[in-house]
Amino acid sequence: MSFTRFASRSVLALIAGGVLLTDGCVLFSRITFTPSEPLGSVSPRLYCPGDGVTASFDLLRDTPCVSRPGLDCAALAPTIDIASSPTEFAPQRIVDFRGRVDFTPASGSVNVTFTPALRSYVEYPSGPASGTDFTRRRFTANTIAASRVDGDVMRQVEHGGMCAGSAPTHADGVVPGPPELSASLRLRRICNSSATQIILSVPGLPGEMIERSLAPGQCFLASEPGVPPDVAALRTYSVRAAVLDPNARCSAIEDRTPPTPLRTTVWMGCGM
C-alpha cells in the first residue's frame, strides 16, 4: 500500500496516540484537502412576509467524521458564531460540524454573519473506522444578505433543444423556488422571451392541459378567467415552438442537430 506523509502539527496534536507515528510524521493512506470556501448559507435568500428563514452551516457535506480509538469526532468539532444585523435572533455559538438557526424576519432585510471562533479549518478522520483517512476542510467568515420580496420576482428560464427519438422537442420549464426563493411565492405570469412564437402548456383541471400560443413578448397570466387557482402554485410547465426549427435534425441513424433553445420569463409574487 502506498502512503502519504503528512506533518501538520495541528493534526499531530489532534491524533496523538491514535494513529501510527513514524519519524515524527503521521502515515495516512489518503488525505483529502478541499479548497477554502465561504462559511454558511441562508435559505430562502428572498422571503415573503411571515416566512421562516434558516441560517445553517455544514462542514462535513458528504464526508462524515468517523470516530475511532483516540479520535472522538465530538472533540474535533469547530466553534462557529452566527449573528444577524439587524438582530433577528440572539447570537449563537455552536460547537459542531453542522448547525442551524431558524427565525422569522421582522425587518425588510437582514445580514447573517458566520464566523469561525477559534480556527478557520477542520481536520477529522473519515472513511472506515479501521482506516487512516483524514479530511481537511478550510472555510472563511461570511456574511449573507437576505431580503423580503416587495413586488414581483422575475427569473428567465431556458428550455434547451433536444431530440425525443426522431422528434425535436424542448426541456420543460421549472418555476424557480427554494433554496434561493421562498416556497410561498406564487406564479403571476409566464412570458415568451424567445424570438419565435411558442406554445405554452400548463396543468389545468384534473386530466386537462391549458395551452396558449404566445408571440414574442406575450404573456400567459395565472389570473386569467377560467384558469384554476392551483396554477399559481405550479412547479413545471412545457413549451414548444409553434413552427419547427428548420435547422433541427433528429434521426436515429444520422447525426443529430437539436432545435434552437427557447426562453421564457417567469414572474412571481408573495400571496395569492
Side-chain angles (χ1 to χ4, degrees):
M1 177 185 297
S2 63
F3 289 88
T4 302
R5 290 179 180 270
F6 186 60
S8 168
R9 293 181 179 178
S10 55
V11 172
L12 290 174
L14 290 173
I15 65 174
V19 180
L20 177 64
L21 297 177
T22 302
D23 297 328
C25 294
V26 183
L27 295 180
F28 296 105
S29 59
R30 182 177 61 184
I31 305 167
T32 301
F33 296 87
T34 63
S36 182
E37 56 188 41
L39 179 61
S41 65
V42 174
S43 178
R45 298 278 293 274
L46 293 176
Y47 54 86
C48 288
D51 272 354
V53 174
T54 298
S56 63
F57 64 90
D58 181 356
L59 297 175
L60 296 178
R61 303 291 177 85
D62 56 354
T63 308
C65 182
V66 182
S67 295
R68 59 203 66 189
L71 289 171
D72 181 6
C73 288
L76 303 178
T79 301
I80 306 298
D81 291 335
I82 308 178
S84 60
S85 178
T87 302
E88 294 286 356
F89 55 86
Q92 304 288 310
R93 170 160 286 192
I94 299 174
V95 182
D96 205 336
F97 289 97
R98 296 186 174 106
R100 61 183 288 165
V101 178
D102 298 316
F103 63 100
T104 301
S107 54
S109 62
V110 58
N111 291 325
V112 179
T113 299
F114 300 82
T115 307
L118 300 177
R119 62 182 187 271
S120 58
Y121 62 89
V122 290
E123 293 170 326
Y124 60 89
S126 52
S130 59
T132 53
D133 291 357
F134 256 72
T135 294
R136 179 183 175 98
R137 195 180 300 278
R138 295 178 295 159
F139 47 88
T140 57
N142 189 26
T143 297
I144 302 173
S147 59
R148 184 174 58 220
V149 175
D150 293 319
D152 288 345
V153 175
M154 178 270 289
R155 292 290 186 273
Q156 190 171 87
V157 178
E158 180 165 315
H159 308 266
M162 304 181 298
C163 290
S166 59
T169 187
H170 290 85
D172 287 347
V174 177
V175 178
E180 180 201 6
L181 304 181
S182 167
S184 301
L185 287 171
R186 292 295 178 262
L187 179 69
R188 298 288 193 246
R189 58 190 181 275
I190 301 174
C191 302
N192 180 10
S193 303
S194 306
T196 187
Q197 188 160 343
I198 66 171
I199 306 298
L200 170 74
S201 299
V202 300
L205 296 173
E208 297 181 359
M209 296 294 291
I210 299 173
E211 288 198 343
R212 293 288 187 275
S213 178
L214 302 177
Q218 192 174 5
C219 300
F220 162 76
L221 304 180
S223 59
E224 288 181 12
V227 175
D230 288 349
V231 169
L234 73 81
R235 305 313 307 169
T236 62
Y237 59 97
S238 62
V239 299
R240 67 180 188 273
V243 178
L244 292 179
D245 182 350
N247 296 316
R249 296 288 183 272
C250 291
S251 170
I253 58 176
E254 299 177 357
D255 291 340
R256 295 186 172 196
T257 303
T260 300
L262 300 174
R263 291 178 177 82
T264 55
T265 301
V266 176
W267 294 81
M268 299 160 286
C270 296
M272 300 304 294

